[in-house]
Amino acid sequence: NAGVMQNPRHLVRRRGQEARLRCSPMKGHSHVYWYRQLPEEGLKFMVYLQKENIIDESGMPKERFSAEFPKEGPSILRIQQVVRGDSAAYFCASSPTWRGLQETQYFGPGTRLLVL
Amino acid sequence: QKEVEQDPGPLSVPEGAIVSLNCTYSNSAFQYFMWYRQYSRKGPELLMYTYSSGNKEDGRFTAQVDKSSKYISLFIRDSQPSDSATYLCAMTFSGGYNKLIFGAGTRLAVHP
């Protein structure tokens, strides 16, 4: 009964490199959310995806950030040309498909990105 | 003004104390209210989930929602050192799948 899985758990990149963060939702969940947590702050919504569709990307920066959730495989959050301000913990959450529980979101352990 | 306000603490209490954690919010459209517990360098763990106003109890934890005051609370009875963590309130709208809006989190320390 695996929970939400994220990898890598820790990622170090130099300025200008690309970061790829992966998320596999819980079994039976086909809705994925990405959140970012800066030090000493709460989680901020970035994007909500279903399989092969981006439903809400209102929290995503307009440039350098993209997300996908392909038919097969994990969801990917991609950050191009990283800058120091991208250093944060990135959390993925998934929610059940069946009615009545859509609002509950279960979080993975996070990927901690450090940009040097 | 933030949509969800939460005192960051830290809050330090002795073991066995009753802990009260609170959040206020400004958007009356919120219908679902959650409390998450986050241990240091871990992901948030869902503790309590409440729809609209009222109380919900689960073991030592009680969640209260007062929509008229736009105020939610989490009470922890007989607090234990293992309860030491950051507690995040979160809320969202009705109508299916929606983003969660989080408070900043309250850091709680329960000392033996």
Side-chain angles (χ1 to χ4, degrees), chain B residues 33 50-56 62-67 71 73:
Chain B
F33 304 89
T50 310
Y51 170 68
S52 194
S53 286
N55 293 359
K56 187 173 185 178
T62 299
Q64 288 185 352
V65 176
D66 181 350
K67 291 195 69 183
Y71 188 87
S73 301

Side-chain angles (χ1 to χ4, degrees), chain A residues 35 40 96-97 103 105 112, chain B residues 36 41 97-98 100 107:
Chain A
Y35 293 84
E40 306 302 321
T97 308
E103 294 78 11
Q105 295 182 20
R112 280 153 183 83
Chain B
Y36 285 83
R41 307 190 68 75
Y97 302 94
N98 281 299
L100 295 179
R107 197 183 315 167

Side-chain angles (χ1 to χ4, degrees), chain A residues 10 31 33 35 37 40-43 45 48 58 91 95-97 100 102-105 107-109 112, chain B residues 32 34 36 38 41-44 46 49 88 92-100 102-105 107:
Chain A
H10 300 275
H31 303 259
Y33 305 77
Y35 293 84
Q37 186 176 36
E40 306 302 321
E41 292 189 18
L43 284 76
F45 169 78
Y48 160 43
S58 58
F91 290 97
S95 59
T97 308
Q102 301 99 312
E103 294 78 11
T104 55
Q105 295 182 20
F107 284 79
R112 280 153 183 83
Chain B
Y32 292 87
M34 296 88 171
Y36 285 83
Q38 186 176 24
R41 307 190 68 75
K42 302 289 186 184
L46 181 63
Y49 163 70
L88 299 157
T92 191
F93 309 99
S94 182
Y97 302 94
N98 281 299
K99 60 187 177 186
L100 295 179
F102 280 87
R107 197 183 315 167

Side-chain angles (χ1 to χ4, degrees), chain B residues 35-39 43-45 47 61 82-83 85-88:
Chain B
W35 286 95
Y36 285 83
R37 177 174 62 195
Q38 186 176 24
Y39 291 112
E45 171 194 6
L47 274 180
F61 298 90
S82 58
D83 295 327
T86 296
Y87 289 80
L88 299 157

